[in-house]
Amino acid sequence: MTRAANGDGVPGWTNWAGTASATPRRRAVPRDEADLAAHVARAAADGLHVRAVGAGHSFTPAAVTDGLLLDLDRVSLVEAVSRSGDAIHVTVGAGIRLHRLNAALAAAGLAMANLGDIDRQSIAGAISTGTHGTGARLGGLATQVRGVRVVGADGTVRAVSADREPGLFAASRLGLGATGVLSAVTLEVVPAFLLRAQEEPWPLDRVLDGLAAADDDPDGLVGGNDHVEFYWFPHTRRALTKRNNRLAPDEEDAALERLRTSGPGPVARARTWLDEELLSNGAFGLVNRVATAVPRVTPRLNAVSARALAPRTYVAPSHEVFVTSRRVRFREMEYAVPRESLVDVLTAIDAWLERSGEHVPFPVEVRFAAPDDVWLSTAYRRPTAYVAVHQYARLSHERYFEAVERIVAEVDGRPHWGKLHGLDAARLAELYPRLGDFTAVRDAADPQGVFANAYTDRVLGPAGS
């Protein structure tokens, strides 16, 4: 998004949520990697900081700069598909938006193994801030990265992977762009697959009972589904559950034939429009406007919202199931907590809301991830549950978010790098065992802090510190 231009006529920038803005000295839309490298080198030589921006879906000031702001939309081609044994690798320009990537993969009979629920971001922005989906046996998007191309401050492009400059690879695949500007990303993808989606309102107590089972329990809510998430409506004991599972091979063959010959069917299409377009966006926007005008009715509005969403089951290609439309603007904070602490965290949030008198019309979103070995991953070496709290853009979020941040601090919650939080590098070093390794690589790659800004200085520490 753009805002008023600076004195030289360079347009300013504001993120999607309206929580961050910048007035850069320069803006550029490189046409390819060589043009990108030239812009970076020229800006660094002129003493400017450099940051790249995608869709602006980060709630933090991660993309803000007073120097050169790069838009990578043109650096977005699907460059190559390769196979090595059972592994399928796809290399894409770092600026490609996820919705374009999903469409290109589907056309080639391929898919990402897991996705988040928004597809407007660029692939570089999504992996650099730790975007994730849900699934107790699956990691975030950065775990699917097998290589990146990094443009340094002098314009040099380095192709790195786990085998070639592994330290720079580890720091660059999830590193807030602090080691350089990504120009290309190599992903490991899978053959395209269908998901059966089951969406149902449940009593919250039923959800909490389902969470009591171990993650490896096939009868449990988390262990018994490939992908599960739920949305709890504050001030109620109701939640919307979403369980997405792969079809067995014989079921998938039959479902593919039905989709090819008749599409999803009129009932499925009607429910998709009703639930996602009307209830989840149009009517939900009205709910939030009413809650803003008359806060005391929020609990009743939430009770209506929790019961209004109709149960539905449908089968569709994976990316169509994972992704939902988000048109109601909000502020968001998300913390990764140890899986075993989830129920205690939700109970504490519920208790605080009831005693505080705070009114929250937006549901709390809960998702899951497997432990991984990505240095700055929120799921680094622990089974993880994500607790995302939201507040409508026209309502104050500070008191609510600060309270939740105090609650998750008790269980060493790790903040999502692209969402609002109040932690600094000192506290984050306690939560991320490899942060010191990361900053050592960052300092070697960018000793002058060309790719730094105030946010990266706060959360990672200044370059060379």
Side-chain angles (χ1 to χ4, degrees):
M1 299 172 62
T2 58
R3 59 194 291 266
N6 67 13
D8 296 323
V10 178
W13 172 86
T14 301
N15 67 346
W16 178 85
T19 54
S21 59
T23 307
R25 181 84 60 83
R26 301 176 190 166
R27 293 188 69 164
V29 186
R31 60 184 177 274
D32 53 27
E33 183 180 78
D35 194 29
L36 166 61
H39 277 291
V40 170
R42 187 160 53 248
D46 291 342
L48 300 181
H49 290 104
V50 178
R51 297 295 292 171
V53 65
H57 260 278
S58 173
F59 293 83
T60 72
V64 166
T65 186
D66 58 0
L68 171 64
L69 187 64
L70 291 163
D71 180 332
L72 302 184
D73 274 355
R74 292 185 185 176
V75 188
S76 60
L77 295 177
V78 177
E79 299 179 3
V81 178
S82 62
R83 297 174 186 262
S84 176
D86 293 333
I88 309 170
H89 293 167
V90 175
T91 300
V92 299
I96 193 169
R97 301 298 178 90
L98 289 175
H99 64 93
R100 287 187 56 206
L101 173 60
N102 291 335
L105 290 175
L110 302 171
M112 299 280 284
N114 201 10
L115 286 165
D117 57 7
I118 296 175
D119 64 359
R120 300 295 101 179
Q121 310 105 305
S122 68
I123 187 63
I127 64 172
S128 295
T129 54
T131 295
H132 61 89
T134 187
R137 293 176 289 275
L138 294 160
L141 268 64
T143 66
Q144 301 171 55
V145 176
R146 297 295 174 264
V148 293
R149 292 173 64 84
V150 188
V151 180
D154 62 356
T156 299
V157 181
R158 298 159 76 177
V160 300
S161 67
D163 299 320
R164 182 177 182 181
E165 297 193 68
L168 184 57
F169 170 68
S172 298
R173 65 171 164 167
L174 198 174
L176 293 171
T179 62
V181 178
L182 301 186
S183 60
V185 178
T186 298
L187 301 161
E188 183 166 334
V189 297
V190 299
F193 60 99
L194 300 178
L195 287 172
R196 174 178 288 109
Q198 296 173 277
E199 302 176 4
E200 294 180 308
W202 282 15
L204 181 61
D205 291 336
R206 180 182 174 188
V207 175
L208 299 181
D209 288 345
L211 295 176
D215 285 354
D216 58 0
D217 184 343
D219 296 321
L221 179 60
V222 178
N225 294 281
D226 293 330
H227 313 268
V228 65
E229 60 189 301
F230 65 90
Y231 298 80
W232 162 51
F233 291 81
H235 317 296
T236 80
R237 301 296 294 178
R238 304 285 296 178
L240 173 66
T241 62
K242 300 180 70 175
R243 293 166 290 150
N244 303 325
N245 290 286
R246 287 196 179 209
L247 277 63
D250 57 337
E251 290 182 295
E252 185 162 71
D253 290 342
L256 282 169
E257 183 60 28
R258 284 196 302 273
L259 288 171
R260 274 194 295 264
T261 58
S262 59
V267 174
R269 282 193 293 267
R271 285 187 173 177
T272 295
W273 181 86
L274 176 67
D275 292 343
E276 294 182 2
E277 297 304 317
L278 179 59
L279 290 176
S280 296
N281 284 297
F284 189 54
L286 176 60
V287 164
N288 279 271
R289 290 193 293 275
V290 172
T292 301
V294 191
R296 68 177 183 275
V297 304
T298 301
R300 278 179 284 169
L301 291 171
N302 284 7
V304 171
S305 295
R307 293 180 181 276
L309 295 169
R312 62 171 176 155
T313 299
Y314 63 97
V315 172
S318 58
H319 66 279
E320 295 181 14
V321 173
F322 288 135
V323 173
T324 58
S325 174
R326 299 290 184 90
R327 294 200 308 274
V328 180
R329 294 190 187 261
F330 54 88
R331 313 284 188 255
E332 181 176 2
M333 181 177 74
E334 182 176 54
Y335 266 83
V337 302
R339 173 71 180 79
E340 66 272 13
S341 302
L342 173 60
V343 173
D344 290 342
V345 166
L346 294 177
T347 300
I349 293 173
D350 187 27
W352 183 85
L353 285 169
E354 292 311 303
R355 69 175 179 267
S356 70
E358 193 80 2
H359 294 107
V360 179
F362 249 90
V364 175
E365 181 180 12
V366 178
R367 292 178 286 175
F368 304 89
D372 62 49
D373 62 355
V374 180
W375 286 358
L376 295 190
S377 169
T378 45
Y380 181 77
R381 293 195 174 174
R382 73 183 186 193
T384 292
Y386 292 98
V387 178
V389 294
H390 311 72
Q391 185 60 290
Y392 184 48
R394 298 181 185 180
L395 290 170
S396 173
H397 65 273
E398 288 82 2
R399 183 173 177 239
Y400 176 36
F401 286 14
E402 288 169 2
V404 173
E405 197 158 52
R406 289 193 298 271
I407 290 168
V408 297
E410 296 296 319
V411 297
D412 286 340
R414 296 169 176 160
H416 189 299
W417 295 101
K419 298 178 184 179
L420 298 174
H421 68 91
L423 303 193
D424 61 16
R427 174 58 176 150
L428 291 165
E430 299 171 349
L431 299 172
Y432 290 90
R434 304 300 297 272
L435 184 59
D437 295 311
F438 173 89
T439 54
V441 172
R442 184 273 313 265
D443 291 351
D446 183 28
Q448 302 304 315
V450 170
F451 302 108
N453 66 8
Y455 178 66
T456 62
D457 284 351
R458 173 167 72 88
V459 300
L460 303 174
S465 62

